Structures are given as structure tokens and as C-alpha cells.
């Protein structure tokens, strides 16, 4: 994988326009930050989510023409906080507060929460009916996260006490390939993209990703980058691991049904086994361990899990609704490779 260098995408409204213009100048020179931000639907707001995505991306990647000193520029952080506020509030509106019983056993509560996944049956649909074009679109949406798989949750590492830190490291060590760059999950995903005739370059498809897809990544970046959300970050990862094994088996099956070989399915096959192990570590040692050590963040652990399911449900509904209408789920469809 080449080094991470993205281009500034085209702005999608006044917020991303303000940010991208500012980023092309020197950090922080006399900037008047716009705000407060008013959005009717922050989770799917193209302008807000793209601006927030780029504001977070500065922590993960180089951006062509943008001074790296922007990463900690006060005006960028102030603007980012304005973008985060309505997004956080919109997510919180979808989430019921944790009950006393749930807080008494966070591991068990997580299992109940994922059993009531509010999302549509996307992986089942893909397994039985998904077309090659839909599978490629799915991979493009996921590339926003999978090409930096595990990185958003790694921000939490220095913020955890020993037991959950050890558990998180055990999971992340697998995500990062257990000492082998070729087995790193982000690298496996790039291999899947390449074998499908897609561009595996980091950030290659940002222009095509709708706000609701960027929101799935912004959610975890926000949890990871704020120490105050370490509980939510842990809960998000736990629910992610706990809802990964079976869907990944189905995506692998979908690709085999469409005639693709191991080169394409390897990423998915790897997750069937790995996440069956990760889900227990994540629920009991990571999330349970953090709740035991820092009971004050137990409610936020469950918030993070529910937030993942709600925002993923919103994303999956967008894909299935678009396809039902016979449309692409991307902002611009991709050409089918010859
Ligand atoms: Fe993974
Ligand atoms: Fe995993």
C-alpha cells in the first residue's frame, strides 16, 4: 500500500467550501469560524459530513496542498466542534438511555443490543440476490473505513486501564496482521478492491461516497479522537466485532456465487474466523473490563454500540432503497470493468 495522500474533494455546500478554502492557506490566519450549524438531517447531510470527514482525515492522512500543521490549528478544532455538535445530537436522539439492569452487566447487555439490530437485512440480500455492480458499490462504500481498518479505535489505546487495553491490543494485533503487513486487514481489503477491478488507493472514492456513508466513519473517528468518548469507542468496536462474523460469511458467499475466487473473498473469509474470536474478547474483556474499571463510562459503552447499529442501519437502508429504485447508491456510479 502506498502512503496515504488524498486530494481535497469538491465541496458540497458552504461548510465544506469554507473548510477546503481555509485549508489551502496557512493554518489559522485570522479565520472567522462559521457557526452554529443548522442541519435538518445531520447524519445524511452531504456538506456537514464531508467537512467533518476531511477535518478528521487530517489525523489519518496527508492532504495534497494542505499544511500538516493544520492538524492542531485552533480554528480547525473550533470548526470541527461546530460540525460534531449537531451530528452527536442527531445520533443521541436515536438512542434510548441504558437501563440499570444493562449497566450491571455490560457484556450481556451488548449481546441483547446486537440481537435487536435495527438495520435491514443487507448481507442476506447480498448473499442471495446482490449483483456484481451492487457488490462493487458495497466495497466502495466500505473502503472509507476498511482501508484504514482498526485505526479509529486505536486512538483509544492510551486512554484505557490495563485489562481493557490488553483486550483491545489483542483484537487490534489481528486487525493489523499479527506482525505481517500482508495479513493486515486494510491490506487484504485493498487486495479485494484490486481483484474486483477497483482502485485500491486510499481515498480514491471519496467523491462518490454519500454523506450517510461518511457518517459511519465520522462516528468512529469522533469516538476515537475524544478521550471523553472512550466508552463509546469501546462499545462501538465491541458491537462491530459482534456483528461481523455472520455478515462477512454472507458477503464471501455472495462473491463466490458471483464467480469470484479467494483473491476477492480472502478479506471476508478472514473475518468469519477472526471475529468469532474477537466478539468474545470485545464484549467481555474489553467492554466488560472497561465497565468494571471505570463504571462512570458504562452507559457510554452501550451508547457506542447502539450508535453503531443506528448509523449502520441508516447507511444500509440507503443502499437497499437506492437499489430498489434501480439507482446507484453512490453519488456517481462507477463504470463496470471490462
Ligand atoms: Fe478486521
Ligand atoms: Fe475483528
Amino acid at each position: 500500500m502506498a502512503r496515504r495522500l488524498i486530494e481535497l474533494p469538491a465541496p458540497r455546500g458552504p461548510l465544506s467550501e469554507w473548510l477546503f478554502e481555509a485549508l489551502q492557506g496557512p493554518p489559522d490566519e485570522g479565520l472567522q469560524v462559521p457557526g452554529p450549524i443548522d442541519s435538518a438531517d445531520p447524519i445524511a447531510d452531504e456538506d456537514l459530513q464531508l467537512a467533518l470527514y476531511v477535518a478528521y482525515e487530517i489525523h489519518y492522512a496527508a492532504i495534497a496542498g494542505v499544511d500538516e500543521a493544520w492538524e492542531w490549528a485552533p480554528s480547525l478544532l473550533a470548526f470541527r466542534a461546530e460540525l460534531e455538535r449537531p451530528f452527536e445530537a442527531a445520533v443521541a436522539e436515536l438512542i434510548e438511555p441504558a437501563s440499570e439492569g444493562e449497566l450491571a452487566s455490560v457484556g450481556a447487555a451488548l449481546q441483547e443490543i446486537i440481537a435487536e439490530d435495527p438495520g435491514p437485512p443487507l448481507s442476506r440480500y447480498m448473499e442471495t440476490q446482490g449483483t456484481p455492480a451492487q457488490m462493487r458499490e458495497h466495497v466502495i462504500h466500505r473502503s472509507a473505513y476498511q482501508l484504514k481498518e482498526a485505526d479509529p479505535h486505536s486512538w483509544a489505546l492510551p486512554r484505557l486501564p490495563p485489562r481493557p487495553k490488553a483486550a483491545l491490543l489483542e483484537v487490534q494485533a489481528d486487525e493489523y496482521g499479527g506482525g505481517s503487513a500482508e495479513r493486515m486487514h486494510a491490506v487484504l481489503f485493498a487486495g479485494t478492491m484490486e481483484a474486483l477491478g477497483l482502485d485500491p488507493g486510499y481515498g480514491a472514492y471519496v467523491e462518490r461516497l454519500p454523506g450517510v456513508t461518511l457518517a459511519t466513519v465520522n462516528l468512529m473517528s469522533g469516538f476515537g479522537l475524544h478521550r471523553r468518548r472512550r466508552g463509546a469507542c469501546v462499545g462501538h468496536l465491541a458491537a462491530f466485532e459482534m456483528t461481523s462474523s455472520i455478515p462477512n460469511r454472507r458477503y464471501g458467499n455472495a462473491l463466490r456465487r458471483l464467480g469470484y475466487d479467494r483473491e476477492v473473498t480472502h478479506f471476508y473469509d478472514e473475518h468469519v474466523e477472526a471475529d468469532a474470536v474477537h466478539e468474545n474478547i470485545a464484549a467481555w474483556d474489553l467492554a466488560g473490563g472497561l465497565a468494571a474499571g471505570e463504571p462512570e463510562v458504562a452507559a457510554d459503552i452501550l451508547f457506542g454500540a447502539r450508535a453503531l447499529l443506528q448509523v449502520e442501519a441508516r447507511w444500509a437502508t440507503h443502499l437497499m432503497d437506492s437499489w430498489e429504485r434501480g439507482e446507484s447508491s453512490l453519488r456517481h456510479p462507477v463504470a463496470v470493468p471490462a
Side-chain angles (χ1 to χ4, degrees):
M1 272 177 133
R3 81 182 179 110
R4 289 179 183 173
L5 172 67
I6 65 166
E7 303 282 330
L8 275 177
R12 297 181 192 172
L15 302 170
S16 45
E17 202 169 302
W18 181 88
L19 177 65
F20 300 170
E21 212 177 289
L23 289 176
Q24 291 171 73
D28 253 355
E29 256 169 42
L31 281 176
Q32 203 61 40
V33 173
I37 291 161
D38 191 28
S39 169
D41 183 9
I43 295 173
D45 188 313
E46 296 295 333
D47 188 27
L48 185 156
Q49 292 295 342
L50 181 68
L52 187 54
Y53 188 82
V54 170
Y56 285 144
E57 206 52 35
I58 290 179
H59 295 288
Y60 295 107
I63 306 177
V66 175
D67 187 330
E68 290 182 334
W70 268 107
E71 185 180 5
W72 297 105
S75 61
L76 176 68
L77 299 181
F79 182 54
R80 199 182 80 187
E82 293 293 344
L83 297 167
E84 287 170 335
R85 238 184 300 276
F87 180 39
E88 281 189 19
V91 172
E93 245 175 65
L94 300 172
I95 291 171
E96 47 183 300
S99 68
E100 285 299 318
E102 287 180 326
L103 296 177
S105 176
V106 161
L110 286 170
Q111 283 172 327
E112 277 167 36
I113 289 169
I114 63 144
E116 288 164 24
D117 187 343
L122 178 61
S123 62
R124 202 183 299 273
Y125 169 83
M126 296 305 273
E127 182 179 33
T128 55
Q129 304 168 56
T131 67
Q134 289 167 348
M135 198 65 223
R136 265 193 301 276
E137 288 194 8
H138 184 273
V139 167
I140 288 170
H141 284 284
R142 284 310 200 193
S143 69
Y145 169 59
Q146 305 292 4
L147 291 176
K148 58 169 173 276
E149 183 172 341
D151 290 347
H153 303 101
S154 293
W155 300 120
L157 276 169
R159 295 156 181 179
L160 297 179
R163 184 178 158 209
K165 180 183 284 181
L168 179 53
L169 269 166
E170 194 177 349
V171 171
Q172 300 300 72
D174 280 349
E175 307 296 344
Y176 289 128
S180 146
E182 305 83 68
R183 290 176 49 216
M184 202 173 276
H185 291 182
V187 173
L188 294 180
F189 194 79
T192 292
M193 294 188 81
E194 214 166 349
L196 283 172
L198 298 170
D199 183 348
Y202 186 90
Y205 291 103
V206 172
E207 296 281 10
R208 295 176 197 271
L209 301 178
V212 72
T213 302
L214 301 176
T216 63
V217 185
N218 288 339
L219 182 74
M220 52 182 126
S221 294
F223 289 160
L225 285 164
H226 291 281
R227 182 181 175 279
R228 69 183 164 86
R229 300 315 301 269
R230 63 197 179 285
C233 181
V234 158
H236 183 282
L237 178 63
F240 196 97
E241 297 293 335
M242 293 167 84
T243 53
S244 164
S245 189
I246 293 169
N248 277 311
R249 184 192 304 277
R250 292 188 182 132
Y251 293 129
N253 288 343
L255 289 160
R256 277 182 284 275
R257 177 177 58 76
L258 295 170
Y260 293 109
D261 61 12
R262 169 104 177 136
E263 214 189 341
V264 174
T265 64
H266 188 176
F267 170 86
Y268 299 97
D269 300 339
E270 181 73 23
H271 282 84
V272 175
E273 299 293 318
D275 288 343
V277 178
H278 291 171
E279 66 175 83
N280 283 310
I281 304 169
W284 298 99
D285 300 324
L286 173 60
L290 179 60
E294 297 186 5
E296 67 277 15
V297 303
D300 212 32
I301 295 173
L302 301 182
F303 181 97
R306 289 190 161 107
L308 165 80
L309 298 180
Q310 289 291 348
V311 176
E312 290 284 316
R314 194 64 206 274
W315 167 78
T317 301
H318 165 75
L319 265 64
M320 293 191 68
D321 286 356
S322 303
W323 294 339
E324 186 147 357
R325 291 193 301 269
E327 293 167 10
S328 169
S329 62
L330 300 169
R331 296 182 82 238
H332 325 283
V334 280
V336 177

